[in-house]
Amino acid sequence: MKRKCIPLGSRLSLLCPPALALILLIATGGLFAEDGPLPSWNEGPAKLAIIDFVAQVTTPGSDRFVPPADRIATFDNDGTLWPEHPMYTQLAFALDRVKALVPQHPEWKTTEPFKSVLAGDMAGVAASGEKGILELVMATHAGMSTAEFEQIVTDWFKTAKHPKFDRRYTELGYQPMLELLDYLRDHGFTTYIVSGGGVEFMRPMTMEVYGIPSQQVIGSSIKTEYQVVNDKPELMRKPDVNFIDDKAGKPVGINQFIGKRPIAAFGNSDGDRQMLEWTGAGSGARLMMLVFHDDAEREYAYGPAEGLPDTKFGTFSQDLMDEANNKGWSVIGMKDDWTQIFTSDQ
Amino acid sequence: MKRKCIPLGSRLSLLCPPALALILLIATGGLFAEDGPLPSWNEGPAKLAIIDFVAQVTTPGSDRFVPPADRIATFDNDGTLWPEHPMYTQLAFALDRVKALVPQHPEWKTTEPFKSVLAGDMAGVAASGEKGILELVMATHAGMSTAEFEQIVTDWFKTAKHPKFDRRYTELGYQPMLELLDYLRDHGFTTYIVSGGGVEFMRPMTMEVYGIPSQQVIGSSIKTEYQVVNDKPELMRKPDVNFIDDKAGKPVGINQFIGKRPIAAFGNSDGDRQMLEWTGAGSGARLMMLVFHDDAEREYAYGPAEGLPDTKFGTFSQDLMDEANNKGWSVIGMKDDWTQIFTSDQ
């Protein structure tokens, strides 16, 4: 894995960014103070890139100053703010729902992909392909009102646990990313989630886990339909895809929901590539960062480095790493950059 | 036209709402102070309903108190925040664009609905039906990047004028509604536009005219596609409908973008009916209001009252008025309730 510095604008091109950030760190006492910003981040290029960027866009009078209304930062969720292994949390939810709903669907016992789900045969589920996964999603995510679905998700998050860490999913937000979200908000940023995950699956937990309110959560969605049943208006969830907020869909979703281009974007996989490109293509100071999962002991290790496995959940291709290096996007190595992984770590 | 009071909750059912609001008005000095809230609103049931509602949801300890994060208010645009006659502003824009683009499209001189547009024959345009209007919209709103479209709209708003008032459209926000937006924001509300109009047509002016930033503008949209042209990422506007944010689409859009149910909603036509129903179906204090255009002298008069014409732009049916009366929605009469119409009035 090769990394480069993030490029600075023409005015600052003679200064090496880490050196500049170091000066800022020292000036703000960050290097010595126990209670400096981003305490779970080791000193290093990733932390320096963040602090340097925030200093640039928040310094009044600077030609890189950005007014608070335009300080938009977008974050992928799975693999960027919490784990995406051994599978996306939403898939774990769908599998649990199949098991919970099988009494009402006895035919699932003999029909794929449900049969494989019930047998715990993940290879069989995978063999059903995209069509099978979509069938699972629709069977478990549609056919009820938005209020009912919200309640189902809320209840699930109260008890469901991650298989490796044996903790509730809501306890597995990445502590350093939480600190980053807070740090940006403390500096006038508005923080958004822009995820391939279902928007109505995420919203019940984003405030509690990330401090991000529902209107700042952009995600994939199925269609909903307004119906008045017994004089009571409901939004019914239909088994049709409305929007896929992934890859080239991320800039589309950002434009549709926010109507402004972010100045900072954070991801961890090929699904975030276009979001980072779109963010980086604006003028002025920009910060694009990718979380790289290289910590098999404390979390998982996968992606474009020798000896690391490729993965279906959160593919980080060598192509993406090359683009990151070419464009000066910053790569966060979990192992070296983070002193703590989860908010619930002791 | 019949009007009723808005209903109050069980705890307050023995108090007549206007009396209660009157007490509040007097207590806050609103009745006598020149600089009280909503100065362009005459004292009357509409103003009282607003002040009473805001007092209820912002009084700590009250069982109708709503925390600021849930103080969501949604506003229709055309006919609610600015005029929709003699036609929707966006249609005026589309017609102007046809005239501007005809040198590149000589075939329009002999093809409907463009031929009628160029001849100023609005009956001919109308005769082309929904299909014709859609064709006009796509010909003038698609085929460029989102950045190009934003520039075209921004430029148009700088010079285009309303035919009756001979002022720029951006000078025709309703002063009383501007005061209402400010009043709600001053009391911790987040104010959204939820309009059938195109979201990318509105966003270039909503901050200037209403103080509403782009991320709080929900509207209809066409599809966009992420493309990298000469190494530069662009979102290209495609001639396909993405979402129609009107009628039953308004609750759908609200749920998709905000993920919370509003506690206050403001409209003026049948297109807003479901938004008001959806808002009113939540628990706790709610405020639903409809602007009724009954002021032919200062603006326009149309809708469900004897002698007023029906209209294609902003239909306010007798059905809607009946539902408003049955459900206790408040009706704002421009003529009696507003001392001033436009922000630019002297």
mmCIF file of all heavy atoms in Angstrom, chain B residues 266-288:
data_model
loop_
_atom_site.group_PDB
_atom_site.id
_atom_site.type_symbol
_atom_site.label_atom_id
_atom_site.label_comp_id
_atom_site.label_asym_id
_atom_site.label_seq_id
_atom_site.Cartn_x
_atom_site.Cartn_y
_atom_site.Cartn_z
ATOM 1 N N PHE B 266 -48.385 24.090 5.791
ATOM 2 C CA PHE B 266 -49.056 25.240 5.201
ATOM 3 C C PHE B 266 -49.167 25.036 3.695
ATOM 4 O O PHE B 266 -48.171 24.762 3.034
ATOM 5 C CB PHE B 266 -48.265 26.517 5.504
ATOM 6 C CG PHE B 266 -48.018 26.716 6.968
ATOM 7 C CD1 PHE B 266 -46.934 26.103 7.597
ATOM 8 C CD2 PHE B 266 -48.899 27.464 7.738
ATOM 9 C CE1 PHE B 266 -46.720 26.253 8.962
ATOM 10 C CE2 PHE B 266 -48.692 27.620 9.111
ATOM 11 C CZ PHE B 266 -47.601 27.016 9.724
ATOM 12 N N GLY B 267 -50.378 25.169 3.172
ATOM 13 C CA GLY B 267 -50.585 25.004 1.742
ATOM 14 C C GLY B 267 -51.657 25.951 1.252
ATOM 15 O O GLY B 267 -52.041 26.894 1.945
ATOM 16 N N ASN B 268 -52.129 25.727 0.037
ATOM 17 C CA ASN B 268 -53.204 26.560 -0.489
ATOM 18 C C ASN B 268 -54.047 25.859 -1.531
ATOM 19 O O ASN B 268 -54.882 26.504 -2.151
ATOM 20 C CB ASN B 268 -52.633 27.834 -1.109
ATOM 21 C CG ASN B 268 -52.062 27.562 -2.490
ATOM 22 O OD1 ASN B 268 -51.136 26.758 -2.614
ATOM 23 N ND2 ASN B 268 -52.609 28.155 -3.527
ATOM 24 N N SER B 269 -53.810 24.564 -1.759
ATOM 25 C CA SER B 269 -54.547 23.939 -2.854
ATOM 26 C C SER B 269 -54.725 22.445 -2.616
ATOM 27 O O SER B 269 -54.171 21.877 -1.665
ATOM 28 C CB SER B 269 -53.806 24.154 -4.174
ATOM 29 O OG SER B 269 -52.753 23.210 -4.292
ATOM 30 N N ASP B 270 -55.472 21.826 -3.513
ATOM 31 C CA ASP B 270 -55.711 20.375 -3.425
ATOM 32 C C ASP B 270 -54.400 19.588 -3.445
ATOM 33 O O ASP B 270 -54.345 18.470 -2.940
ATOM 34 C CB ASP B 270 -56.606 19.922 -4.586
ATOM 35 C CG ASP B 270 -58.052 20.403 -4.412
ATOM 36 O OD1 ASP B 270 -58.284 21.301 -3.568
ATOM 37 O OD2 ASP B 270 -58.939 19.896 -5.116
ATOM 38 N N GLY B 271 -53.364 20.175 -4.016
ATOM 39 C CA GLY B 271 -52.063 19.507 -4.045
ATOM 40 C C GLY B 271 -51.432 19.372 -2.670
ATOM 41 O O GLY B 271 -50.482 18.600 -2.493
ATOM 42 N N ASP B 272 -51.958 20.122 -1.697
ATOM 43 C CA ASP B 272 -51.381 20.113 -0.342
ATOM 44 C C ASP B 272 -52.193 19.285 0.647
ATOM 45 O O ASP B 272 -51.807 19.140 1.811
ATOM 46 C CB ASP B 272 -51.284 21.561 0.182
ATOM 47 C CG ASP B 272 -50.483 22.434 -0.754
ATOM 48 O OD1 ASP B 272 -49.400 21.996 -1.163
ATOM 49 O OD2 ASP B 272 -50.951 23.538 -1.089
ATOM 50 N N ARG B 273 -53.318 18.792 0.168
ATOM 51 C CA ARG B 273 -54.269 18.087 1.027
ATOM 52 C C ARG B 273 -53.617 16.944 1.819
ATOM 53 O O ARG B 273 -53.751 16.860 3.036
ATOM 54 C CB ARG B 273 -55.348 17.524 0.105
ATOM 55 C CG ARG B 273 -56.485 16.907 0.779
ATOM 56 C CD ARG B 273 -57.561 16.607 -0.271
ATOM 57 N NE ARG B 273 -58.780 16.204 0.387
ATOM 58 C CZ ARG B 273 -59.987 16.327 -0.158
ATOM 59 N NH1 ARG B 273 -60.118 16.829 -1.368
ATOM 60 N NH2 ARG B 273 -61.043 15.933 0.505
ATOM 61 N N GLN B 274 -52.908 16.064 1.116
ATOM 62 C CA GLN B 274 -52.317 14.903 1.794
ATOM 63 C C GLN B 274 -51.210 15.317 2.768
ATOM 64 O O GLN B 274 -51.018 14.688 3.799
ATOM 65 C CB GLN B 274 -51.777 13.902 0.760
ATOM 66 C CG GLN B 274 -52.859 13.177 -0.031
ATOM 67 C CD GLN B 274 -53.348 13.943 -1.237
ATOM 68 O OE1 GLN B 274 -53.068 15.131 -1.410
ATOM 69 N NE2 GLN B 274 -54.093 13.270 -2.109
ATOM 70 N N MET B 275 -50.481 16.386 2.438
ATOM 71 C CA MET B 275 -49.449 16.878 3.366
ATOM 72 C C MET B 275 -50.098 17.335 4.677
ATOM 73 O O MET B 275 -49.585 17.059 5.770
ATOM 74 C CB MET B 275 -48.667 18.032 2.723
ATOM 75 C CG MET B 275 -47.674 18.703 3.666
ATOM 76 S SD MET B 275 -46.511 19.808 2.838
ATOM 77 C CE MET B 275 -47.532 21.257 2.529
ATOM 78 N N LEU B 276 -51.229 18.019 4.569
ATOM 79 C CA LEU B 276 -51.911 18.483 5.776
ATOM 80 C C LEU B 276 -52.540 17.309 6.536
ATOM 81 O O LEU B 276 -52.513 17.279 7.769
ATOM 82 C CB LEU B 276 -52.955 19.555 5.437
ATOM 83 C CG LEU B 276 -52.427 21.006 5.465
ATOM 84 C CD1 LEU B 276 -51.358 21.250 4.418
ATOM 85 C CD2 LEU B 276 -53.546 22.022 5.326
ATOM 86 N N GLU B 277 -53.078 16.347 5.796
ATOM 87 C CA GLU B 277 -53.642 15.151 6.452
ATOM 88 C C GLU B 277 -52.549 14.411 7.216
ATOM 89 O O GLU B 277 -52.730 14.016 8.366
ATOM 90 C CB GLU B 277 -54.244 14.196 5.408
ATOM 91 C CG GLU B 277 -55.542 14.673 4.786
ATOM 92 C CD GLU B 277 -56.017 13.762 3.650
ATOM 93 O OE1 GLU B 277 -55.259 12.840 3.251
ATOM 94 O OE2 GLU B 277 -57.135 13.980 3.151
ATOM 95 N N TRP B 278 -51.416 14.211 6.551
ATOM 96 C CA TRP B 278 -50.290 13.469 7.141
ATOM 97 C C TRP B 278 -49.773 14.179 8.389
ATOM 98 O O TRP B 278 -49.497 13.558 9.412
ATOM 99 C CB TRP B 278 -49.194 13.330 6.080
ATOM 100 C CG TRP B 278 -47.926 12.656 6.525
ATOM 101 C CD1 TRP B 278 -46.689 13.223 6.622
ATOM 102 C CD2 TRP B 278 -47.767 11.288 6.911
ATOM 103 N NE1 TRP B 278 -45.772 12.296 7.047
ATOM 104 C CE2 TRP B 278 -46.408 11.093 7.228
ATOM 105 C CE3 TRP B 278 -48.643 10.206 7.023
ATOM 106 C CZ2 TRP B 278 -45.896 9.870 7.654
ATOM 107 C CZ3 TRP B 278 -48.140 8.981 7.441
ATOM 108 C CH2 TRP B 278 -46.779 8.826 7.745
ATOM 109 N N THR B 279 -49.685 15.488 8.299
ATOM 110 C CA THR B 279 -49.246 16.294 9.447
ATOM 111 C C THR B 279 -50.250 16.184 10.588
ATOM 112 O O THR B 279 -49.875 15.955 11.740
ATOM 113 C CB THR B 279 -49.086 17.768 9.010
ATOM 114 O OG1 THR B 279 -48.133 17.820 7.947
ATOM 115 C CG2 THR B 279 -48.621 18.644 10.158
ATOM 116 N N GLY B 280 -51.511 16.304 10.250
ATOM 117 C CA GLY B 280 -52.557 16.303 11.275
ATOM 118 C C GLY B 280 -52.758 14.951 11.941
ATOM 119 O O GLY B 280 -53.308 14.872 13.045
ATOM 120 N N ALA B 281 -52.316 13.880 11.290
ATOM 121 C CA ALA B 281 -52.550 12.533 11.830
ATOM 122 C C ALA B 281 -51.571 12.176 12.947
ATOM 123 O O ALA B 281 -51.710 11.127 13.578
ATOM 124 C CB ALA B 281 -52.479 11.496 10.709
ATOM 125 N N GLY B 282 -50.561 13.013 13.185
ATOM 126 C CA GLY B 282 -49.642 12.748 14.289
ATOM 127 C C GLY B 282 -50.278 13.128 15.620
ATOM 128 O O GLY B 282 -51.291 13.824 15.658
ATOM 129 N N SER B 283 -49.671 12.700 16.708
ATOM 130 C CA SER B 283 -50.230 13.029 18.024
ATOM 131 C C SER B 283 -49.663 14.354 18.522
ATOM 132 O O SER B 283 -48.665 14.847 18.009
ATOM 133 C CB SER B 283 -49.905 11.909 19.011
ATOM 134 O OG SER B 283 -48.510 11.754 19.097
ATOM 135 N N GLY B 284 -50.294 14.941 19.524
ATOM 136 C CA GLY B 284 -49.834 16.206 20.088
ATOM 137 C C GLY B 284 -50.373 17.386 19.305
ATOM 138 O O GLY B 284 -51.213 17.246 18.430
ATOM 139 N N ALA B 285 -49.867 18.572 19.639
ATOM 140 C CA ALA B 285 -50.346 19.796 19.009
ATOM 141 C C ALA B 285 -49.947 19.827 17.533
ATOM 142 O O ALA B 285 -48.831 19.455 17.178
ATOM 143 C CB ALA B 285 -49.768 21.008 19.724
ATOM 144 N N ARG B 286 -50.845 20.268 16.688
ATOM 145 C CA ARG B 286 -50.624 20.333 15.244
ATOM 146 C C ARG B 286 -51.202 21.627 14.711
ATOM 147 O O ARG B 286 -52.227 22.095 15.234
ATOM 148 C CB ARG B 286 -51.344 19.167 14.537
ATOM 149 C CG ARG B 286 -50.959 17.795 15.025
ATOM 150 C CD ARG B 286 -49.686 17.317 14.374
ATOM 151 N NE ARG B 286 -48.925 16.504 15.303
ATOM 152 C CZ ARG B 286 -47.866 15.789 14.951
ATOM 153 N NH1 ARG B 286 -47.438 15.800 13.694
ATOM 154 N NH2 ARG B 286 -47.201 15.097 15.835
ATOM 155 N N LEU B 287 -50.589 22.169 13.680
ATOM 156 C CA LEU B 287 -51.152 23.358 13.030
ATOM 157 C C LEU B 287 -51.190 23.134 11.524
ATOM 158 O O LEU B 287 -50.145 22.935 10.897
ATOM 159 C CB LEU B 287 -50.302 24.599 13.353
ATOM 160 C CG LEU B 287 -50.779 25.918 12.733
ATOM 161 C CD1 LEU B 287 -52.160 26.320 13.263
ATOM 162 C CD2 LEU B 287 -49.772 27.035 12.999
ATOM 163 N N MET B 288 -52.377 23.147 10.963
ATOM 164 C CA MET B 288 -52.551 23.016 9.517
ATOM 165 C C MET B 288 -53.278 24.260 9.006
ATOM 166 O O MET B 288 -54.336 24.603 9.547
ATOM 167 C CB MET B 288 -53.369 21.759 9.175
ATOM 168 C CG MET B 288 -52.595 20.454 9.249
ATOM 169 S SD MET B 288 -52.129 19.947 10.921
ATOM 170 C CE MET B 288 -53.734 19.649 11.635
#
